[in-house]
Amino acid sequence: RPLAPKPIYRGRRGNCARPPVLTPAQVQLVLAACTPSADAPTARLVALRDRLFFTLLAETGLRLGEALGLRHLDLVVGAGETPRLRVTPRTNHPHGCRVKNDKAREIYISDELEGLYSAYVWALVDAGIDLHVKDVANHHVFVNLAREPLFAPWSPDSVYDKIAAITKAHPNDLPGRWSPHWLRHTHATALLLAGAAPHVVMRRLGHADYQTTLEQYGWVTAEAEMRNVAEWRSYTAGWKGLSS
């Protein structure tokens, strides 16, 4: 009888059950599904927002509320520095989105994500956001683009509607009830299977302590690492801030 695989990491209080994740191929399918519904400026802008949103979740491990709470001034891009974003605790989001534990942190982002964000900002300007919003820099990154009120902060319900539409279009390739939080679990799993140190994962996820990370993702086994390391390293290629 074969022995059960042993986890690489063990928490003092024991390890949690394995969290649900998407495979790298499934993440790429979600991103590829963010395509314009018509050959029109608004449709192209909506598709760009959606691709930026899901790329952001997959690459940074942000919680849904943290992503929806981002404002343009939270992203440091195009300044000759390593691109990054600041997760900033706030209490005034109209849909109640908040940073868990009210703990600020910075996350380095890839050149690809920086490029997606820059293209999105230019498209927002072309759509006239500066005519509707007084202080664009202090406004939310993810906003309504095809429904009223125009340029108002995007809601969690709208995100789940988008997930439902993508899943309906690919019923045989995606889990039936996946959620944005699966991308957070996927991000942490990708980092560990690609060889990132647990303390790096802890900082990117914003966990309160090292043990929380070990308990949540202690299911990662040596066998899983050997089987998947090449695939996951390829998936995380280009992500920054993983070696400190």
Side-chain angles (χ1 to χ4, degrees), residues 18-244:
R18 176 174 176 166
V21 300
L22 298 176
T23 66
Q26 288 173 327
V27 174
Q28 293 305 318
L29 178 62
V30 170
L31 301 183
C34 298
T35 55
S37 58
D39 186 18
T42 297
R44 291 193 291 270
L45 179 54
V46 166
L48 185 56
R49 177 202 61 193
D50 296 347
R51 188 178 183 92
L52 172 64
F53 182 77
F54 289 114
T55 301
L56 176 79
L57 292 187
E59 184 180 316
T60 65
L62 290 183
R63 300 175 178 91
L64 176 60
E66 292 172 340
L68 292 178
L70 282 176
R71 302 188 184 188
H72 292 284
L73 53 75
D74 294 328
L75 285 102
V76 180
V77 299
E81 305 175 51
T82 302
R84 63 191 185 276
L85 62 84
R86 303 185 185 100
V87 181
T88 305
R90 298 185 179 95
T91 59
N92 58 348
H93 194 281
H95 301 293
C97 298
R98 297 186 63 173
V99 173
K100 190 173 181 179
N101 301 325
D102 289 330
K103 186 177 180 181
R105 66 188 189 278
E106 284 197 346
I107 302 174
Y108 290 108
I109 61 175
S110 69
D111 295 334
E112 178 193 7
L113 186 55
E114 179 188 24
L116 266 177
Y117 170 71
S118 297
Y120 173 66
V121 170
W122 280 112
L124 284 176
V125 173
D126 285 344
I129 189 173
D130 54 315
L131 302 178
H132 293 77
V133 177
K134 274 188 177 180
D135 185 2
V136 175
N138 199 38
H139 196 57
H140 298 85
V141 172
F142 298 104
V143 294
N144 291 341
L145 298 171
R147 64 175 64 175
E148 296 293 339
L150 196 62
F151 301 121
W154 215 25
S155 72
D157 287 345
S158 295
V159 174
Y160 277 94
D161 287 345
K162 183 63 61 176
I163 287 175
I166 293 173
T167 305
K168 184 178 180 181
H170 301 278
N172 299 320
D173 301 307
L174 293 170
R177 302 190 69 172
W178 65 279
S179 75
H181 211 70
W182 284 40
L183 289 169
R184 179 173 168 83
H185 294 319
T186 300
H187 178 75
T189 299
L191 293 181
L192 292 171
L193 289 179
H199 72 271
V200 173
V201 182
M202 177 196 76
R203 287 205 303 266
R204 286 180 76 91
L205 296 183
H207 281 160
D209 57 62
Y210 186 82
Q211 283 299 314
T212 301
T213 307
L214 296 185
E215 290 159 14
Q216 185 77 54
Y217 300 103
W219 68 270
V220 175
T221 65
E223 287 79 2
E225 183 177 43
M226 293 303 293
R227 285 197 306 271
N228 296 294
V229 65
E231 180 184 14
W232 290 98
R233 279 183 179 165
S234 175
Y235 173 64
T236 60
W239 294 5
K240 297 182 178 181
L242 307 183
S243 58
S244 58

